[in-house]
Amino acid sequence: MEFKCRQYTWNDIVELCRKLSNEIRKNKFKPDAIVAIARGGWVPARILCDFLNVKDLYSVKTEHWGIVATETGKARITQPLNVDFSGKNVLIVDDVADTGETVEIVAEHVRDLNAKDVKIAVIDYKHTSKFKPDFFASEMKEWKWIVYPWSLREDLRDLIIKVGVRDVKKLKEILEREYEFFVDENLIEDVLNDEWYEWDKK
């Protein structure tokens, strides 16, 4: 499966979180606590805490089973919360709503912990999601793989293995032409050196 990428810088993320916080304020939602969905929601959740002046930050971890990022994918909570949200407005934060399954099961989990009101905020809302989050900073009608700065090396590593080429210059050319994925040669070389053992498994 070939696909195109959308890449964000750290500055992009701060600006998108600022936009997201303004949307939340405009809708007069005042969260008492924020729940980050691990791992993608950690960074935006912490930034939103700063923008919205929220002190209580929690994290819940989910894992997918089956085909990830498709409507047939399955997700479950593997690190649940142990907190009583009685009387509190809770904002759930993730990086992206792709299929929508992850944020849905987390929202149900938080409601079961007696939250007064639960809202969902994501940086990117893809139209492949089976539900529309309450707040989002960017809307994606045409599906692309989103490369966030906190997972740049991880995504690059996966693409290098997928392409199956070890020459740095050739890799850079293929990544740019086929995937619209732009990184410098030094980073490609670093990842190749870090992941030498992956090639032995091929």
Side-chain angles (χ1 to χ4, degrees):
M1 173 186 172
E2 302 299 329
F3 53 85
K4 303 299 183 185
C5 296
R6 173 188 287 180
Q7 287 177 260
Y8 287 134
T9 65
W10 287 107
N11 286 339
D12 291 334
I13 295 302
V14 173
E15 179 59 24
L16 288 165
C17 286
R18 184 194 65 80
K19 180 179 177 182
L20 196 52
S21 67
N22 287 341
E23 284 296 310
I24 293 166
R25 285 197 188 94
K26 188 169 69 177
N27 284 272
K28 302 187 185 306
F29 183 69
K30 295 182 179 180
D32 301 298
I34 289 179
V35 173
I37 299 180
R39 296 177 297 165
W42 280 341
V43 175
R46 181 60 185 90
I47 296 172
L48 284 173
C49 280
D50 197 30
F51 277 122
L52 297 171
N53 193 27
V54 176
K55 302 298 183 185
D56 291 342
L57 174 61
Y58 303 90
S59 177
V60 60
K61 191 174 188 300
T62 64
E63 289 184 1
H64 281 85
W65 298 93
I67 303 171
V68 178
T70 71
E71 291 184 3
T72 58
K74 300 295 180 184
R76 69 170 188 168
I77 293 173
T78 56
Q79 292 178 12
L81 294 167
N82 181 23
V83 61
D84 185 1
F85 286 126
S86 293
K88 292 186 177 182
N89 294 328
V90 180
L91 182 68
I92 296 169
V93 177
D94 205 358
D95 51 2
V96 60
D98 198 323
T99 66
E101 184 179 356
T102 298
V103 286
E104 277 195 324
I105 65 168
V106 173
E108 182 180 350
H109 175 52
V110 171
R111 290 188 190 100
D112 288 342
L113 296 172
N114 307 313
K116 177 184 174 184
D117 196 5
V118 178
K119 300 289 186 186
I120 296 167
V122 300
I123 292 175
D124 290 286
Y125 161 50
K126 293 184 180 181
H127 281 203
T128 48
S129 176
K130 57 186 177 182
F131 88 105
K132 188 174 182 178
D134 300 290
F135 311 108
F136 52 90
S138 174
E139 188 171 2
M140 186 180 289
K141 295 181 180 179
E142 181 183 356
W143 195 93
K144 290 186 177 183
W145 181 260
I146 304 173
V147 181
Y148 297 100
W150 51 80
S151 58
L152 176 61
R153 291 177 71 101
E154 182 177 309
D155 289 334
L156 176 57
R157 183 165 54 241
D158 290 344
L159 275 177
I160 288 173
I161 293 170
K162 177 180 173 61
V163 171
V165 172
R166 295 200 67 177
D167 179 81
V168 173
K169 291 186 182 298
K170 188 173 181 181
L171 256 175
K172 188 174 190 303
E173 179 187 337
I174 293 171
L175 292 173
E176 291 179 0
R177 184 182 68 247
E178 301 294 332
Y179 298 95
E180 296 181 359
F181 189 92
F182 301 92
V183 290
D184 62 42
E185 291 183 5
N186 288 335
L187 181 57
I188 294 174
E189 190 170 353
D190 284 348
V191 172
L192 280 171
N193 290 335
D194 287 346
E195 295 303 309
W196 59 268
Y197 55 87
E198 291 286 356
W199 296 92
D200 293 338
K201 299 176 186 177
K202 291 182 72 67

